[in-house]
Amino acid sequence: MPKKPAVKDYIRTIVDFPHEGIMFRDVTTLFADPRGFRMAVDQMLHPYAGEQIDKVVGLEARGFILGGAIAHQLGTGFVPIRKKGKLPGTTISQEYKLEYGEAIVEIHDDAIKPGEKILVVDDLLATGGTAGAGIKLIERLGGEIISCAFIVDLPELGGRKLLEEMGMDVHVLCEFEGL
């Protein structure tokens, strides 16, 4: 009997993208496959069955794809965290460090009410910089983060450790070694 495919089997690796020495984990192949995409969304939802979640927050950009699907399944609202200057309303922002420089993410200042239960989602957890900045924004608005869910973790880059040190519960569907 053939092996049942796992989420990891739907993710392709592109060598030397965007720079030499990088193994890019491309989830667009997972999103393009109806079975793979449903499997990923279902598995990301599973740990939270029966928990109260008021809103799903997706991190730019692939977190929007996952976050919208997960929010729909939960019957909750969806909130985007975007790069600076992309949201039309009044925002709050958070700076974070990149490998070479810094970046800023923003959220609408009225997107989350104090005490709301939040699930943070994105496709990939690397250094944890973007997720950490998103967590800080949510907490500044008074949101209570239930968990952070990702399809892929790159453990060598330490993102999971960083988020757990921030007191976050972290759920991932698969891991890839290397950069």
Side-chain angles (χ1 to χ4, degrees):
M1 185 146 84
K3 181 184 127 190
K4 187 176 177 182
V7 166
K8 190 173 187 174
D9 298 327
Y10 292 95
I11 300 168
R12 75 175 155 194
T13 298
I14 300 175
V15 179
D16 294 330
F17 182 83
H19 306 290
E20 189 174 334
I22 302 293
M23 304 283 283
F24 186 80
R25 308 308 178 172
D26 181 18
V27 296
T28 63
T29 49
L30 170 70
F31 294 164
D33 186 283
R35 283 193 181 121
F37 187 49
R38 175 164 293 284
M39 182 189 311
V41 170
D42 289 349
Q43 288 179 16
M44 289 180 87
L45 280 166
H46 183 74
Y48 314 107
E51 284 203 47
Q52 178 191 340
I53 296 174
D54 299 308
K55 290 187 177 148
V56 174
V57 170
L59 305 174
E60 187 158 336
R62 289 173 296 274
F64 299 170
I65 297 165
L66 292 165
I70 290 169
H72 172 75
Q73 288 295 103
L74 292 172
T76 66
F78 171 77
V79 175
I81 289 184
R82 302 220 50 197
K83 294 176 185 169
K84 182 179 172 83
K86 300 290 186 180
L87 292 170
T90 306
T91 61
I92 61 169
S93 58
Q94 181 68 46
E95 193 172 286
Y96 65 101
K97 293 191 183 313
L98 296 170
E99 187 176 344
Y100 301 106
E102 296 177 342
I104 298 173
V105 289
E106 297 180 324
I107 189 170
H108 280 127
D109 66 357
D110 60 355
I112 294 170
K113 293 174 181 48
E116 284 188 314
K117 310 271 192 256
I118 308 297
L119 174 62
V120 177
V121 299
D122 203 3
D123 67 320
L124 185 130
L125 178 57
T127 65
T130 307
I135 288 164
K136 289 175 183 174
L137 289 172
I138 294 163
E139 289 177 339
R140 283 169 51 197
L141 293 176
E144 181 185 323
I145 300 167
I146 299 302
S147 186
C148 301
F150 304 89
I151 295 174
V152 176
D153 180 22
L154 303 178
E156 292 175 37
L157 297 180
R160 182 180 194 133
K161 183 178 183 224
L162 174 78
L163 298 186
E164 288 173 342
E165 286 172 354
M166 293 175 74
M168 296 296 116
D169 174 67
V170 178
H171 173 67
V172 299
L173 302 188
C174 63
E175 295 181 350
F176 283 93
E177 297 304 318
L179 302 179

